Amino acid sequence: MDATLADPLVGRLLDGRYQVEAQVAMGGMATVYRAMDTRLDRQVALKVMHADLARDEEFVNRFIGEAKSVARLSHPNVVSVFDQGRDGSYLYLAMEYLPGRTLRNLLDERGWFPPREALGIMVPLLSGLAAAHRAGLVHRDVKPENVLVAPDGHLKVVDFGLARALTMGNQTRTGQILGTVAYLAPEQVTGTGADARTDIYAAGIVLFELLTGTKPHTGDSPLSVAYKHVNESVPAPSRLAGGIPPEVDRLVLQATSRDPRGRPADADEYLRSLMEVSRGLGNDWPGQAQGAVAINDWAGYGGPPSQYGEPSQYSTQVLNGAPPAADGHTIIAQRDGWPESPGHRAPGHGAPARRIGVWIALGVLLLAAAGAGRWWFTQRSDTTVPTVAGMTVSQAIEQLRQDGFSVHEANAVTSNTVKAGNVVRTSPAGGARLHKGSAVTLVPSSGPRLVKVPDVSGQQLSDAKQALRQDGLTVGSVHKVASTSVDAGIVIGTTPAAGLSWPQTRPVTISVSEGPPLPNFVGQNVSAIQGWAGQNGIQLNVQQDTNSDQPQGTITRQTPAPNTPITQNETVTVFVSTGPPQVNVPDVTGQNVNDARKQLEQAGFKVNVNKIGPFNKVLTENPTGQAPKGTTITLFTGF
């Protein structure tokens, strides 16, 4: 039975907007449909997540966040995301519809590509990745299946963010990850994190496959392949296929370094290296095909970028240094180097003069190679390039020169792992074998990548953290600040302030309001404070202070201290005086008033004299017996 006819979504109006027309493809994570956007009257591709993913709310939240990030990405070599939504159990993405094939289909058909064509394919792929890396996005699942080829030949990268949404959710669907294990970087296997260099590793594997028609690591199980990524280096493509120049080998080996520090920092940097190698190949790279066919249903790869980001008007044949075909379509060489399309004849069907010329040329090349080989082995010797990554530039130059190499210093690149002024990597990398006197290129670090700090004031703390991380910044400590103008839990600002450029590796401190500060209760009567606590949702814990000279009911101290931030339902402890201690009042009746005053003051009382006669003898006192320390004793003097 036709799967399209049996599919319950085909023919349905999804989310009241998308008329589902046909099933296009099915994968481990989602099913893709062709649909009509009835609101904007255009065809779209709907990627509908499988039901078990749509039931996972954590995945759904991650998926929505990633979709919003990718929707902001606009580039000719990236499939556009138009919309994201949910209709009941159906979680979907609405994307640009490209009726064509994938790079996997082309690889299956062709098997392999000559070096210049392989590099030509990589240009738009890396251009799309570079745009994403500049926007702070990492693909995490670069592979031929995620590179679409439009009918006009343009290459576009698809599925940004979906691997992140899957791996960051509470998923145990290891098949989703192991299904693309052939392109996983070692750090993805070991779970130590992913960044732009993770995409570069996968891109290097894709280039290896384009050149050789096979993957570098194979095994009996996904786990065995993953083990090889971690423990075995990718071999040079020239070991599996002939006609691959050393500089193309180095492009693959540089991108697939098991240590991320040995790879280009991002797709922009790798694209620049690839373009330099492509220009250096010229028209006569080793193994160049002598015949070609026109691929009428694939007009090009999108052409070389302008400023490594925008496609130009030129087709791939211009990048390769070859003239366009007469019909304006891309020229692609055949595997055996001879044309196979109608109108062209392969060897053995004519052109004997051409065959003779080829044999003569081969003979000349062999004689030249023999002479060069004798000079090579008698005059020169190979030596190992020292590993100088991490050293200061001056230390690295000294080490390389001591080992007999000349040194070229390239422009500095940003690095989040190598401090400014130290070496990020060399080309060729440490451990490679070179002739003494050969040039080794040093790539120094300019320090961490700088990112403009977004304005997160007024947001909830969790939202502010997410915004900072999405921009590629590191979230540091949270500083709680009392505020009478900002509600508790709301972000007041950041350090550094919004708008400043900040290294990705240095943490950003977030200041969060804890609400109004706690007033100073000391010296106030506890009855008044009890009323305030009830009005402000504060629990008051009253403790007696029996050692205070303050009047009874007076608050002598509090915890937390005054001006400390507090939240509702927080408990504040206050210590309340039970009043001064009671002491005996000395009996000074009949004493001289001056002596009586002195005795009472020594006992801790205050004295007030009330004279009712001409003499200074104390007639009586008030109060008598016991009284709180500090009480005023009144003396009556006279007759």
Side-chain angles (χ1 to χ4, degrees), residues 532-541 566-572:
W532 178 91
Q535 293 173 0
N536 290 273
I538 300 298
Q539 304 296 321
L540 207 62
N541 175 30
I566 56 170
T567 57
Q568 281 198 341
N569 296 320
E570 187 169 346
T571 298
V572 177

Side-chain angles (χ1 to χ4, degrees), residues 194-197 261 265 413-420 424 445-451 471-474 502-506:
D195 58 18
R197 297 169 299 181
R261 293 174 297 181
V413 298
T414 58
S415 174
N416 288 346
T417 56
V418 180
K419 69 178 183 178
V424 176
S445 170
S446 61
R449 187 183 299 273
L450 297 178
V451 176
D471 281 8
L473 291 164
T474 302
W502 194 248
Q504 282 187 308
T505 54
R506 294 181 62 184

Side-chain angles (χ1 to χ4, degrees), residues 210-400:
L210 290 172
L211 292 165
T212 65
T214 186
K215 300 177 181 67
H217 295 316
T218 57
D220 296 332
S221 68
L223 288 178
S224 66
V225 177
Y227 177 87
K228 290 183 178 181
H229 279 295
V230 176
N231 296 284
E232 297 180 15
S233 297
V234 171
S238 60
R239 291 174 56 184
L240 282 77
I244 298 176
E247 53 267 42
V248 176
D249 273 344
R250 284 196 290 270
L251 276 176
V252 173
L253 298 180
Q254 182 184 32
T256 57
S257 168
R258 283 185 290 157
D259 185 349
R261 293 174 297 181
R263 303 174 207 153
D266 53 26
D268 263 320
E269 186 179 333
Y270 192 39
L271 181 56
R272 285 192 290 270
S273 298
L274 185 141
M275 293 292 287
E276 290 175 6
V277 171
S278 183
R279 284 191 291 267
L281 291 179
N283 292 332
D284 296 312
W285 42 271
Q288 179 181 2
Q290 299 183 34
V293 296
I295 304 299
N296 294 320
D297 59 346
W298 187 25
Y301 309 109
S306 170
Q307 298 300 319
Y308 306 108
E310 301 297 329
S312 73
Q313 61 184 345
Y314 301 107
S315 64
T316 305
Q317 57 264 45
V318 177
L319 171 65
N320 293 341
D327 59 2
H329 290 90
T330 300
I331 299 299
I332 301 180
Q334 293 301 312
R335 183 178 183 88
D336 58 4
W338 291 92
E340 294 179 354
S341 64
H344 296 273
R345 290 188 296 177
H349 295 81
R354 179 180 300 173
R355 291 200 300 273
I356 294 171
V358 170
W359 284 112
I360 293 173
L362 285 173
V364 172
L365 286 174
L366 287 172
L367 289 172
R374 283 194 299 273
W375 174 85
W376 189 285
F377 288 107
T378 57
Q379 301 297 322
R380 309 189 70 175
S381 60
D382 284 353
T383 188
T384 302
V385 176
T387 300
V388 296
M391 293 183 182
T392 65
V393 170
S394 59
Q395 290 172 337
I397 291 174
E398 181 180 0
Q399 180 66 59
L400 288 165

Side-chain angles (χ1 to χ4, degrees), residues 512-565:
V512 180
S513 172
E514 282 260 305
L518 185 66
N520 188 356
F521 299 144
V522 175
Q524 301 187 54
N525 190 275
V526 67
S527 59
I529 301 309
Q530 284 173 329
W532 178 91
Q535 293 173 0
N536 290 273
I538 300 298
Q539 304 296 321
L540 207 62
N541 175 30
V542 179
Q543 299 290 326
Q544 291 187 345
D545 184 354
T546 58
N547 296 319
S548 172
D549 292 336
Q550 297 294 318
Q552 184 178 5
T554 301
I555 296 175
T556 58
R557 64 182 189 278
Q558 66 187 76
T559 302
N563 298 317
T564 301

Side-chain angles (χ1 to χ4, degrees), residues 174 249 461 481:
T174 55
D249 273 344
L461 178 59
V481 180

